[in-house]
């Protein structure tokens, strides 16, 4: 998922609080193996584990904000469904929407593409016949408009997943949906039109979260599942990077920086035996402070940038970060040592 977007994604990670390890920032398999191997170790691995927890928090916060809720845990999804549905009812029910030429032109274009690209127009012909019948009086009620929009949205989603549907057909369905939204916005007051746009955006995000199966029974959100779904259903917004919202970028980050599994070999070969022994050898209290300080220094988001700037070769840069992590004693850059001393004094 990263590719050309890697520099932008790393910047967005910092903005969102999505912690990246030096191994991920430098795209170094060596460092990532070290990080995977120490995750289960006391003290040293605490910050790697903390980073994972914070990442999950970023994804869940982005998802909750996208649907307009403080959290999606427990009953958050149901609360969002009821609130957004109630907002649609408030804005549409009891209102009459005057049909104009722009709306009719969009429906006519959809019918033309449907008859050309789908034998007999498929289900679209039935939908259009129903719509035109309701429009015979020159206006349509808000509740009917909402039903019409749901039918078209379902057809558009089905067509997008169907390999036999042409892109022109999918585009025509989406154009008809936009025509409905534009008709609503032209009729509502400015304040209600803003509320309509907000509710539409929140509902779209909610549908994406549910259809991707990214939310489990307690409201935890899987950024990787969401990203997989968005890559299949929103090529323009997700894959081409045209949607750079917090929700989309947190999904991109989740897929681009998937945790590296520790096979066991990494634990035996990547960490010097002396360091591994030191972690488990008493007295633990005496070791806790320097090990934690070294770990915090390693996880400092500016460390990879400094290493890159002060190392002549990529391998030197990796070695410098590795040395800092396992000993807390960088050899060449006194700035590292000064930062280490500052962290230690703050404990």
């Amino acid at each position: 998922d990263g590719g050309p977007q890697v520099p932008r994604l790393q910047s967005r990670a910092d903005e969102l609080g999505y912690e990246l390890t030096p191994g991920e920032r430098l795209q170094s398999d060596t460092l990532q193996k070290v990080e995977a191997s120490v995750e289960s170790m006391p003290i040293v691995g605490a910050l790697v584990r903390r980073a994972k927890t914070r990442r999950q928090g970023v994804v869940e916060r982005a998802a909750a904000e996208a649907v307009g809720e403080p959290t999606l845990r427990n009953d958050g999804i149901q609360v969002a469904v009821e609130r957004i549905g109630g907002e649609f009812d408030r804005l549409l029910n009891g209102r009459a929407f005057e049909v104009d030429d722009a709306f009719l032109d969009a429906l006519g274009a959809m019918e033309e593409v449907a008859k050309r690209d789908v034998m007999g127009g498929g289900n679209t012909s039935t939908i259009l016949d129903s719509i035109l019948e309701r429009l015979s009086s020159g206006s349509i009620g808000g509740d009917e408009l909402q039903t019409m929009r749901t039918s078209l949205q379902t057809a558009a989603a089905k067509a997008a997943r169907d390999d036999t549907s042409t892109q022109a057909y999918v585009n025509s369905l989406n154009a008809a949906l936009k025509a409905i939204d534009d008709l609503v916005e032209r009729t509502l007051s400015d304040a209600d039109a803003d509320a309509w746009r907000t509710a539409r955006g929140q509902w779209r995000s909610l549908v994406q979260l549910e259809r991707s199966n990214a939310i489990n029974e307690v409201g935890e959100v899987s950024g990787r599942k969401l990203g997989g779904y968005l890559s299949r259903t929103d090529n323009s917004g997700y894959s081409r990077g045209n949607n750079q919202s917090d929700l989309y970028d947190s999904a991109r980050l989740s897929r681009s920086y998937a945790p590296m599994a520790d096979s066991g070999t990494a634990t035996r070969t990547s960490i010097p035996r002396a360091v591994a022994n030191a972690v488990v050898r008493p007295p633990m209290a005496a070791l806790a402070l320097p090990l934690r300080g070294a770990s915090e220094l390693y996880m400092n988001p500016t460390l990879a940038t400094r290493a890159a700037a002060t190392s002549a070769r990529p391998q030197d840069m990796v070695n410098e970060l590795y040395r800092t992590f396992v000993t807390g004693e960088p050899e060449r850059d006194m700035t590292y040592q000064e930062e280490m001393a500052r962290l230690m004094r703050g404990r």
Side-chain angles (χ1 to χ4, degrees):
D1 273 3
Q5 293 196 63
V6 167
R8 187 191 73 81
L9 277 182
Q10 292 194 358
S11 176
R12 283 290 280 150
D14 293 338
E15 291 175 11
L16 295 171
Y18 191 100
E19 288 194 26
L20 300 179
T21 67
E24 291 170 328
R25 289 182 183 277
L26 296 173
Q27 301 181 58
S28 164
D29 288 343
T30 299
L31 284 176
Q32 289 184 63
K33 288 177 182 177
V34 173
E35 293 158 358
S37 66
V38 302
E39 183 180 346
S40 61
M41 298 170 66
I43 306 173
V44 180
L47 294 184
V48 177
R49 295 191 296 273
R50 184 191 70 181
K52 282 191 173 182
T53 300
R54 289 186 174 179
R55 290 179 180 193
Q56 182 62 26
V58 168
V59 173
E60 293 189 10
R61 182 172 65 250
E65 289 177 353
V67 302
E69 293 296 327
T71 180
L72 295 183
R73 291 295 182 109
N74 300 321
D75 296 328
I77 287 292
Q78 186 59 37
V79 170
V81 169
E82 293 176 358
R83 178 183 54 77
I84 299 171
E87 186 71 347
F88 284 143
D89 290 343
R90 180 184 74 82
L91 294 168
L92 296 181
N93 288 355
R95 296 177 187 264
F97 293 84
E98 298 296 326
V99 176
D100 54 21
D101 291 340
F103 183 62
L104 292 175
D105 288 345
L107 294 182
M110 183 185 72
E111 183 178 29
E112 181 179 344
V113 174
K115 288 183 176 180
R116 183 188 70 218
D117 292 6
V118 182
M119 185 175 297
N123 291 336
T124 312
S125 293
T126 302
I127 296 172
L128 278 173
D129 289 343
S130 175
I131 292 173
L132 292 173
E133 182 179 346
R134 294 176 184 177
L135 296 180
S136 58
S137 64
S139 66
I140 186 170
D143 54 339
E144 293 178 311
L145 198 63
Q146 193 168 0
T147 300
M148 179 194 310
R149 192 183 190 285
T150 299
S151 297
L152 287 172
Q153 190 170 38
T154 300
K158 181 179 179 181
R161 296 190 302 268
D162 188 351
D163 293 337
T164 64
S165 297
T166 66
Q167 189 60 49
Y169 177 54
V170 175
N171 291 343
S172 70
L173 290 169
N174 287 326
L177 280 169
K178 185 177 184 301
I180 292 176
D181 295 338
D182 290 345
L183 176 64
V184 172
E185 290 183 20
R186 288 195 296 271
T187 305
L188 296 176
S189 66
D190 290 344
D192 282 346
D194 286 341
W196 165 257
R197 284 188 288 268
T198 297
R200 273 175 46 212
Q202 292 174 349
W203 185 259
R204 179 173 182 268
S205 297
L206 185 61
V207 169
Q208 289 171 332
L209 287 165
E210 292 194 311
R211 288 182 177 171
S212 64
N213 293 318
I215 306 178
N216 66 15
E217 62 275 8
V218 296
E220 294 173 334
V221 180
S222 168
R224 296 185 69 187
K225 286 185 178 181
L226 176 62
Y229 173 81
L230 294 176
S231 70
R232 297 189 303 271
T233 61
D234 189 2
N235 187 56
S236 174
Y238 185 82
S239 301
R240 296 178 187 171
N242 291 323
N243 187 326
Q244 298 182 4
S245 64
D246 289 357
L247 181 65
Y248 273 56
D249 275 346
S250 66
R252 290 188 182 100
L253 286 165
S254 296
R255 297 191 79 200
S256 298
Y257 299 104
M260 178 178 287
D262 179 12
S263 65
T265 303
T267 303
R268 292 190 297 272
T269 62
S270 297
I271 304 297
R273 187 175 299 278
V275 174
N277 290 340
V279 173
V280 297
R281 187 192 309 133
M284 182 67 74
L287 292 168
L289 193 57
L291 285 173
R292 186 180 297 117
S295 300
E296 290 223 15
L297 177 57
Y298 179 81
M299 291 292 291
N300 189 308
T302 62
L303 183 60
T305 303
R306 293 180 186 175
T310 58
S311 298
R313 297 180 305 156
Q315 188 57 48
D316 291 338
M317 178 170 57
V318 170
N319 290 341
E320 186 74 8
L321 287 166
Y322 184 99
R323 186 183 303 110
T324 301
F325 185 45
V326 299
T327 69
E329 298 176 358
E331 294 180 355
R332 294 191 302 275
D333 190 346
M334 290 302 296
T335 303
Y336 290 359
Q337 295 176 344
E338 292 169 357
E339 179 70 7
M340 176 74 172
R342 186 189 67 78
L343 286 169
M344 298 293 288
R345 286 196 299 271
R347 287 293 169 197

